Amino acid sequence: MIKQEFKISAQGVGKRFINEWIFRHFDYTFEAGNTYAVTGPNGSGKSSIMKVLAGITPPTQGNVHYEKNSAIIKPDAFFKELVYVAPYLELPEELSLREFLLFHYKFKELKEGFSIDFLIKFLSLEGHSDKPIKFFSSGMKQRVRLGLAFATDSPLVFLDEPTSNLDEWGIEWYHQNCQKWLMNQCVIIGSNQPFEYKHANFLLNINLFKK
Ligand SMILES: Nc1ncnc2c1ncn2[C@@H]1O[C@H](COP(=O)(O)OP(=O)(O)OP(=O)(O)O)[C@@H](O)[C@H]1O
């Protein structure tokens, strides 16, 4: 994928649930061509900040702006620019893998070199393409989510706990494909396991944004 100019700027961003500030005064700019790891212990706010940066939940205070090739992207068009991978995001259980991929790529573009058939092979799920996703194991589902991240031509990729449910082979597959397919995108990984973000070039500890 050709590198596009892409930026997310967070200015004074904070999120509060009831009376608790999960993070506050978060100022940061994320750019294409870099991999960022948001780190911190369980319950520290990694998923919360990623959801705010992705526009899935609104910040309690502050603003997040998205910019592509020097033009501001409106929040309602922003979902087209990203892939969000997380074990808590459900896949459509009633669809087969092939039906789901055909549906997904009505809205998003595949990277050059990928087709639906190639993606199924890339996932090593050739024997399962017509099976409903509800019958997939948790590791197979996680591979499908990651496959969308590797194959989709979008400038921004969020990977929250990217290797959850993967076996040793799957973890190696994840590492190889991060290096091969995600180098020109802006990648934000949420994790408390260093092996998941060993290729990241910027580390952001969420605990530094609590006051
Ligand atoms: N919708 C919500 N309502 C109230 N509190 C919430 C909500 N979502 C998250 N929280 C709280 O925000 C805090 C941060 O949660 P979050 O899931 O962002 O942490 P995390 O760092 O991703 O954790 P983990 O490593 O366990 O996945 C926790 O105290 C959690 O209980």
Side-chain angles (χ1 to χ4, degrees), residues 17-18 20 22 40-49 160-161 192:
F17 288 118
I18 314 172
E20 186 191 5
I22 307 303
N42 288 140
S44 56
K46 301 180 295 296
S47 300
S48 301
I49 202 164
D160 197 358
E161 302 176 22
N192 50 22

